[in-house]
Amino acid sequence: MTAGPVAAGRSADGGPEPEDSLRRFAAIWSRAIYPVTATSMTRGEFEGHLVPLARVLREALAARPFDPRAAVPVGAALVAAHCTDPEALPSILGVVDAYLVLYCPPGPGIPADEARVRCSRLQHAISVGFSQALRERTLAEQESISRAALAAQADAERALAASEERFRAVFESAAVGIGIADMDGNVLEVNDALTRMFGSQAHATRRNVSEWVHPDNDLAANYGLNAELVRGDRDGYQVEKAFPRADGTVLWTNLQVSLLRDAAGRPQYQIALMEDITERRGLLRTLRHQATHDALTGLPNRALFFERLDQALEGTGPDSRIGVCYLDLDGFKAVNDSLGHAVGDRLLVAVAERLRGCLTDDDQIVARIGGDEFVALYTDPPDLRAVTGLAQRVLDALADPVTLDGRELPVHGSIGIVHGPVGSRAAADVLRSADITMYRAKELGGNRYEVADPDADARAITRHGLTNRLPGALERGEFFIEYQPLIALQDGAVLGAEALVRWCHPAHGVLGPDHFIPLAESTGQIVPLGRWVLENAAEQARAWQRDHHGDGRPPRVNVNVSPIQLQHPGLVREVAAILDSTGLPPASLCLEVTESALIGADEDTLEPLRRIADLGVEIALDDFGTGYSNLSSLRWLPVSVLKLDRAFTRGMRRRPADPVDLKIVEGIVSLAHGLGLTVTVEGVETRTQADHLRALGCDHGQGWYYAKPGPPERLHTLTLADVG
């Protein structure tokens, strides 16, 4: 048996389909549909006819990208197979809803929730295809009836009795409603089908068609079409039109009105053919609601939100504006993790109900677009204050905790606001700006709203671009190292240098570590990047030492270590391996760790540093003085160098020096030397500053007075010039 109007597919890898599950689904489908099908096929033949249709649904369910229109021909194919009984469509959709995902799952790459949404949209597409095909079939019947009626009218002049008999047979036995009216609109006769549609004969006859008025109709358009027909300017028209029934309910029809002319061609009668589409419209309305609303909260979903946002962005005038409030619940993940997703779902339902109460105008909607994210759209707000007022109402609505099963759950949110003229904005750009702004509100502590700022958006987009490019930048060779000399303050000798990594970005140029180290730490890329810096710096220090001649200690190198690297279990092993592979003496390497990373650190955190120090590597406490550390804790830390933060020496750049800064530095130096530590000072920018630090007993210095960071071959090239 052939596959029918829908072609059979193949699996993604080109192999055969898992036919067992597909045929079981087709068998269930056949049992549900066959009893209400007027087909000449046997049950087995009909089941075989459904297999390729089921295969189309399975492939559409798993397709990437997903396109529900692939299921439209399935609905048409079922009508072609004579599944035209009024009970057929609910049975068709019921089996698809209950068994398609079960027997034809889309695969592990598509979550269950998305699979259900796809299934719902496929049902909608099947219904559309079914309805279109049924409508075309009905129109064909209507056209046949209309031709028969016209033929009967023409034959009446030649054989009135025979014509009347044929017309009466068609008129009385037709499944569609038929009504005849004169050119003034007075109803002359209706058939039984039309009487059943309206609920009573009295309601359908002895009245004028102008009395059949319902507010759901486009009255002006309908009256215009009928006026053209009465004047003879058109021979017919077709519309979907609502009529009031005798019991007060609404009858929706597919109405086709034709003009009957006399032998001279003058308009004589109007004949109307009506198909009852009330149930079909109701089903489509239900499917439309399911496809555009969140199943959990009942709020509009992402699809409907973007539909309304696109409409709002089209604008109603040159001064049209929009307002968007993007809400993300603060700490919702903790609720799911600690109390379970069932409680989390109930909390979302409670939040959705509160959000509905925040809307005060028909131009405002609120939608759930995923997880714990909600978006309110304000179409053409009067000003920014109106949008921030909506955001504040949302925050106020979330101020009180939600009580579930006697437990009070606090709920707060962060809101990003976008407000401005419609212009040429795209919906995705508007939502992205609101999302970025929402995260800015979270970074500021949450439970607040922030208004979008183009500069902040640009910075966030830049950070996102850097984050995306960072993983491959090391492999592409985009990083390089500059070295800033370390100077012995007593005699001005170059002791070595601090290794400072740079990123040569193809779009943004050379970026300092402040631009990308935090991103590397947040993504875990700091571990391979830090390893690369350590290995290259050690190799460079060893090269300096091979070229070193004369007295004095051979050049050393200082390398910064991130707190994230300290937590990496292979750090000690990597340091030892690099020292071994490069041949660099351990005493020529100093690892710099920020004070904030070590203050309050437990023994597990300090253990790797102790083991590295045991190798002979020096450990420097960087940015000392910024972490408000307890000075007595220095005795417990495995450090041999204090790097004093530049904040303590700014008052020494000119004479006379700040006496407070002098006393603080003098005290720190005395304490450090008492503990056997050397003191290095960062940010030396003037000769006066260097003289003061030398007099206070500081051991080493670095800064722009001596040299800016540069390539390794300039290690011994000192500027010795004041900065600023």
Side-chain angles (χ1 to χ4, degrees):
M1 186 171 183
T2 61
V6 182
R10 302 284 292 176
S11 64
D13 60 1
E17 298 285 351
E19 290 294 322
D20 290 344
S21 296
L22 194 69
R23 290 191 176 278
R24 284 197 292 272
F25 173 79
I28 296 172
W29 212 10
S30 172
R31 286 196 295 272
I33 303 173
Y34 188 83
V36 291
T37 300
T39 179
S40 60
M41 290 184 280
T42 65
R43 183 186 294 273
E45 291 172 338
F46 186 73
E47 181 177 328
H49 184 75
L50 293 181
V51 169
L53 306 186
R55 182 177 293 110
V56 170
L57 296 181
R58 182 181 64 186
E59 293 176 352
L61 185 65
R64 292 179 182 270
F66 175 67
D67 187 357
R69 292 175 296 181
V72 171
V74 173
L78 290 169
V79 172
H82 303 286
C83 301
T84 56
D85 189 277
E87 298 298 323
L89 184 56
S91 300
I92 293 167
L93 299 181
V95 172
V96 173
D97 182 67
Y99 297 103
L100 178 60
V101 174
L102 180 63
Y103 282 96
C104 304
I110 299 176
D113 289 345
E114 183 178 347
R116 295 303 307 166
V117 171
R118 288 188 174 194
C119 182
S120 177
R121 295 183 65 186
L122 289 176
Q123 294 174 56
H124 177 69
I126 294 171
S127 179
V128 168
F130 187 94
S131 301
Q132 289 175 346
L134 190 60
R135 179 179 179 179
E136 291 170 2
R137 185 187 184 98
T138 303
L139 290 178
E141 293 179 356
Q142 291 176 347
E143 183 62 26
S144 175
I145 293 171
S146 181
R147 285 197 300 269
L150 293 173
Q153 180 70 16
D155 291 343
E157 296 177 358
R158 300 187 300 271
L160 182 58
S163 174
E164 177 65 22
E165 182 178 353
R166 287 193 299 271
F167 177 77
R168 190 54 55 182
V170 171
F171 186 80
E172 295 297 342
S173 61
V176 296
I178 304 176
I180 302 174
D182 60 24
M183 299 310 297
D184 293 327
N186 298 310
V187 179
L188 304 177
E189 193 171 3
V190 298
N191 70 348
D192 291 342
L194 192 143
T195 299
R196 289 192 297 271
M197 290 182 191
F198 278 88
S200 74
Q201 186 171 14
H203 194 70
T205 58
R206 298 190 299 277
R207 60 194 310 170
N208 194 277
V209 294
S210 62
E211 300 176 35
W212 285 333
V213 178
H214 193 276
D216 288 346
N217 291 319
D218 186 346
L219 299 180
N222 289 345
Y223 281 137
L225 290 172
N226 193 256
E228 292 177 6
L229 183 131
V230 169
R231 291 195 304 267
D233 295 340
R234 64 167 58 236
D235 289 327
Y237 63 87
Q238 181 176 334
V239 295
E240 285 191 1
K241 186 175 180 181
F243 293 93
R245 280 193 174 107
D247 60 2
T249 59
V250 181
L251 167 67
W252 274 98
T253 67
N254 181 16
L255 173 66
Q256 180 177 328
V257 182
S258 300
L259 182 64
L260 298 181
R261 301 176 183 268
D262 61 16
R266 293 184 297 270
Q268 189 171 19
Y269 299 105
Q270 304 176 62
I271 181 169
L273 306 180
M274 296 185 188
E275 175 198 4
D276 185 351
I277 61 171
T278 307
E279 184 176 344
R280 189 166 72 216
R281 277 182 65 94
L283 177 60
L284 292 175
R285 188 183 304 112
T286 299
L287 293 174
R288 160 73 177 172
H289 186 274
Q290 292 175 352
T292 57
H293 286 74
D294 177 46
L296 177 65
T297 64
L299 293 176
N301 63 10
R302 190 182 190 91
L304 181 55
F305 171 79
F306 271 102
E307 180 181 311
R308 296 290 180 83
L309 180 57
D310 285 334
Q311 293 171 359
L313 289 173
E314 292 176 0
T316 57
D319 299 326
S320 296
R321 308 178 77 81
I322 60 163
V324 172
C325 298
Y326 194 120
L327 166 70
D328 183 89
L329 299 183
D330 298 334
F332 178 75
K333 183 177 183 298
V335 175
N336 270 346
D337 291 345
S338 59
L339 302 178
H341 288 273
V343 173
D345 287 349
R346 292 172 61 193
L347 179 60
L348 290 175
V349 172
V351 168
E353 191 59 35
R354 293 188 183 186
L355 295 181
R356 285 190 186 94
C358 297
L359 305 181
T360 59
D361 195 287
D362 290 341
D363 291 331
Q364 303 168 6
I365 69 164
V366 62
R368 180 187 179 213
I369 62 172
D372 59 340
E373 296 178 339
F374 301 84
V375 184
L377 172 64
Y378 197 156
T379 303
D380 206 10
D383 50 32
L384 175 60
R385 181 178 298 179
V387 184
T388 58
L390 172 58
Q392 188 59 53
R393 288 197 300 275
V394 170
L395 294 177
D396 292 343
L398 300 179
D400 294 330
V402 175
T403 302
L404 296 176
D405 299 330
R407 179 191 293 112
E408 288 192 348
L409 301 178
V411 55
H412 302 292
S414 299
I415 300 176
I417 295 175
V418 172
H419 169 262
V422 170
S424 58
R425 294 185 175 190
D429 294 336
V430 171
L431 202 64
R432 179 178 63 177
S433 179
D435 187 27
I436 291 172
T437 308
M438 178 271 292
Y439 277 105
R440 182 151 51 89
K442 278 189 179 295
E443 291 171 358
L444 294 173
N447 195 27
R448 60 184 292 154
Y449 64 77
E450 287 292 319
V451 179
D453 172 64
D455 292 337
D457 285 2
R459 289 193 297 271
I461 292 171
T462 299
R463 285 197 303 272
H464 181 70
L466 292 177
T467 302
N468 288 340
R469 187 173 180 83
L470 186 60
L474 190 59
E475 297 178 2
R476 291 188 293 268
E478 295 177 5
F479 290 103
F480 66 97
I481 301 173
E482 290 186 327
Y483 297 88
Q484 186 172 39
L486 291 165
I487 308 299
L489 290 175
Q490 297 305 316
D491 58 9
V494 176
L495 302 176
E498 179 181 358
L500 300 168
V501 65
R502 305 287 190 251
W503 184 1
C504 186
H505 193 281
H508 301 292
V510 176
L511 301 176
D514 291 346
H515 289 85
F516 60 86
I517 291 298
L519 301 179
E521 290 178 332
S522 66
T523 59
Q525 292 299 312
I526 191 64
V527 173
L529 177 59
R531 184 188 307 117
W532 179 85
V533 172
L534 180 60
E535 185 172 4
N536 281 268
E539 289 177 351
Q540 182 57 58
R542 187 70 186 98
W544 285 331
Q545 292 181 359
R546 284 193 294 268
D547 296 336
H548 176 68
H549 302 289
D551 299 330
R553 185 177 178 181
R556 55 181 286 181
V557 69
N558 287 24
V559 178
N560 292 281
V561 177
S562 162
I564 304 299
Q565 290 176 267
L566 294 180
Q567 301 171 15
H568 182 56
L571 177 63
V572 179
R573 183 175 63 255
E574 289 174 358
V575 171
I578 288 172
L579 291 173
D580 183 62
S581 64
T582 61
L584 182 69
S588 297
L589 175 63
C590 178
L591 300 184
E592 298 187 8
V593 184
T594 59
E595 179 186 17
S596 59
L598 296 185
I599 297 309
D602 56 24
E603 188 57 34
D604 289 340
T605 302
L606 297 177
E607 176 62 21
L609 287 180
R610 296 192 193 280
R611 292 171 59 193
I612 292 174
D614 290 341
L615 295 175
V617 176
E618 288 194 330
I619 307 296
L621 191 61
D622 198 10
D623 297 332
F624 182 76
T626 60
Y628 306 100
S629 63
N630 183 344
L631 296 179
S632 64
S633 66
L634 292 175
R635 71 177 68 185
W636 309 113
L637 298 177
V639 299
S640 53
V641 180
L642 286 189
K643 290 198 72 172
L644 194 61
D645 187 72
R646 68 184 62 207
F648 293 110
T649 63
R650 288 195 182 102
M652 304 179 194
R653 299 177 75 239
R654 300 287 183 269
R655 296 185 187 275
D658 186 328
V660 175
D661 285 351
L662 290 173
K663 287 293 185 183
I664 292 174
V665 174
E666 182 180 17
I668 293 175
V669 171
S670 176
L671 173 66
H673 286 171
L675 295 173
L677 308 178
T678 60
V679 177
T680 300
V681 181
E682 299 178 298
V684 180
E685 297 179 343
T686 67
R687 179 176 180 177
T688 301
Q689 208 173 8
D691 292 341
H692 284 305
L693 294 170
R694 185 183 308 112
L696 291 170
C698 294
D699 302 290
H700 309 142
Q702 68 181 98
W704 283 17
Y705 168 69
Y706 297 108
K708 295 181 180 180
E713 59 269 17
R714 292 178 55 192
L715 174 66
H716 294 280
T717 304
L718 304 182
T719 57
L720 300 178
D722 289 358
V723 177

